[in-house]
Amino acid sequence: MSTITSDIIEELHGDLISHGWLAQAIRLDGETSHPPQARITNVLSELLATGQVEIGLTHQTKPDYLEFVAWNGTTEEKVDRAMKAVASANGPDKEFAYWLCLRENVDRFEDA
């Protein structure tokens, strides 16, 4: 497991992580052998492959509670879906195109 993956998992113990946060962490990591988009894809794949992290969306169910709904599918399908969500989001919405959560904190998985 790479250092950035370990660091992100550690951060997830405190809160959810948005696409924007992940992209910023990857930029700050300083690894430049891959383009930023490829690096995001690689890090997402590595995170999901640990079995500790899920990807999905949040929904406000109460004034003070966000429900995390994890996506179904293979790691490859989830990463592809995340990249498509970022590509189709406009402006500041790109930052919140998807969220990452520790598997133990997932509220539910989306309906099949």
Side-chain angles (χ1 to χ4, degrees):
M1 182 180 335
S2 70
T3 302
I4 191 159
T5 298
S6 297
D7 292 347
I8 291 167
I9 291 172
E10 186 63 33
E11 286 292 325
L12 284 167
H13 285 280
D15 204 356
L16 302 175
I17 290 176
S18 69
H19 164 73
W21 189 101
L22 178 68
Q24 180 69 16
I26 289 170
R27 277 193 294 278
L28 294 173
D29 184 47
E31 192 276 311
T32 58
S33 64
H34 297 92
Q37 193 74 4
R39 184 82 167 116
I40 291 171
T41 299
N42 292 342
V43 170
L44 280 175
S45 294
E46 191 172 318
L47 285 165
L48 295 173
T50 67
Q52 298 177 64
V53 178
E54 290 295 339
I55 190 168
L57 297 174
T58 60
H59 302 284
Q60 189 157 4
T61 57
K62 298 176 186 170
D64 59 344
Y65 188 77
L66 285 177
E67 175 186 51
F68 184 87
V69 181
W71 293 342
N72 293 317
T74 65
T75 295
E76 184 177 304
E77 290 168 340
K78 292 175 190 178
V79 171
D80 184 54
R81 185 173 173 182
M83 298 294 72
K84 287 179 179 174
V86 171
S88 67
N90 295 314
D93 291 339
K94 287 187 182 295
E95 182 172 344
F96 309 109
Y98 62 83
W99 292 84
L100 299 172
C101 180
L102 288 177
R103 183 175 186 82
E104 64 198 48
N105 295 329
V106 168
D107 291 301
R108 66 182 175 91
F109 284 82
E110 66 186 353
D111 297 331

